[in-house]
Amino acid sequence: GALVYQYPRRTICKSGTSMRMECQAVGFQATSVAWYRQSPQKTFELIALSTVNSAIKYEQNFTQEKFPISHPNLSFSSMTVLNAYLEDRGLYLCGARVSLGGLEQYFGPGTRLTVL
Amino acid sequence: GDSVTQTEGLVTLTEGLPVMLNCTYQTIYSNPFLFWYVQHLNESPRLLLKSFTDNKRTEHQGFHATLHKSSSSFHLQKSSAQLSDSALYYCALSHNNNNAPRFGAGTKLSVKP
């Protein structure tokens, strides 16, 4: 079955520092990976959609300068939160889309970011 | 751009009563894909239902939904709520491979004995 791993599961960083999170698809090839942030109020924000061999599409209010993403192959993606501040806290979810499948996404367990 | 509107906030039900969580959407595209995801406490969202066929009922794990393009709706229903159905439910919309699903604000379902 389709599995998505994310690392780390939890992280704490000081305000103004950066942290990197990883997303790994196991057992399938992910044609695309979408990064979301789930706020403490549980709303979902789409950060960006990353498709191998295509430019990464960032949503309004999210930029490459703040959330650089690397997507080198069909099973791995990483995103960094640069200069993290309090408003960046939340659960960062990676959703991987199965190649040749429907448009649904399989989510990893998320990386919970706490900013002090 | 695309948007999804769900029943807001918290829905509290007594076990055994029917469940109906509303979802409507807006998109300029004629072939939307609609999804319902369920997220239990301390877990990641899990796909519950999906549909892209107009007026066709889709079912899974006792839940069902029908995409109605005429009313831009994809309401989630279940005939009899169970305690284990307590969770966050998200409706999501996509329309092609170049766009990630957009989620509604989520509806928290709480089922009481």
Side-chain angles (χ1 to χ4, degrees):
Chain A
L3 290 174
V4 179
Y5 290 106
Q6 287 188 250
Y7 177 83
R9 295 291 301 275
R10 294 177 179 272
T11 187
I12 301 172
C13 68
K14 290 184 178 180
S15 180
T17 64
S18 303
M19 69 81 53
R20 179 173 178 266
M21 55 191 76
E22 300 179 350
C23 174
Q24 177 89 40
V26 179
F28 68 102
Q29 291 187 322
T31 55
S32 64
V33 170
W35 287 93
Y36 295 85
R37 180 171 67 199
Q38 188 176 32
S39 69
Q41 294 72 36
K42 303 301 182 186
T43 55
F44 265 83
E45 293 178 283
L46 174 62
I47 298 171
L49 176 68
S50 174
T51 305
V52 175
N53 299 324
S54 295
I56 298 171
K57 292 175 60 177
Y58 284 86
E59 290 296 296
Q60 197 172 12
N61 301 326
F62 295 94
T63 65
Q64 183 180 6
E65 290 70 32
K66 172 73 174 177
F67 299 95
I69 291 171
S70 173
H71 192 178
N73 57 55
L74 286 172
S75 65
F76 182 82
S77 177
S78 66
M79 183 176 74
T80 301
V81 181
L82 295 175
N83 299 317
Y85 288 99
L86 190 61
E87 59 266 27
D88 294 321
R89 63 187 173 142
L91 181 67
Y92 286 80
L93 289 161
C94 150
R97 183 174 280 167
V98 178
S99 61
L100 302 180
L103 298 186
E104 68 269 22
Q105 294 186 322
Y106 294 92
F107 285 94
T111 294
R112 186 167 298 281
L113 174 62
T114 301
V115 182
L116 300 178
Chain B
D2 294 345
S3 67
V4 177
T5 303
Q6 296 183 231
T7 301
E8 289 189 10
L10 173 66
V11 172
T12 303
L13 290 174
T14 301
E15 187 179 18
L17 290 181
V19 178
M20 175 121 167
L21 303 183
N22 289 340
C23 172
T24 56
Y25 63 90
Q26 286 189 315
T27 181
I28 62 173
Y29 297 92
S30 58
N31 295 309
F33 284 68
L34 273 295
F35 310 91
W36 276 101
Y37 283 83
V38 58
Q39 185 179 25
H40 287 94
L41 188 62
N42 296 322
E43 295 183 6
S44 58
R46 174 176 58 83
L47 181 67
L48 181 60
L49 291 172
K50 64 178 180 180
S51 181
F52 57 88
T53 306
D54 198 12
N55 298 319
K56 181 179 178 182
R57 174 172 161 145
T58 182
E59 299 187 38
H60 185 61
Q61 296 184 337
F63 287 90
H64 63 92
T66 303
L67 174 59
H68 291 297
K69 292 184 181 180
S70 60
S71 56
S72 300
S73 67
F74 191 56
H75 305 320
L76 182 67
Q77 300 181 66
K78 187 177 184 183
S79 59
S80 176
Q82 297 177 289
L83 296 177
S84 58
D85 294 331
S86 295
L88 275 166
Y89 291 81
Y90 291 94
C91 183
L93 163 71
S94 187
H95 48 78
N96 60 48
N97 277 317
N98 296 322
N99 288 273
R102 295 180 183 276
F103 285 73
T107 304
K108 184 174 182 179
L109 177 64
S110 178
V111 182
K112 307 291 186 185

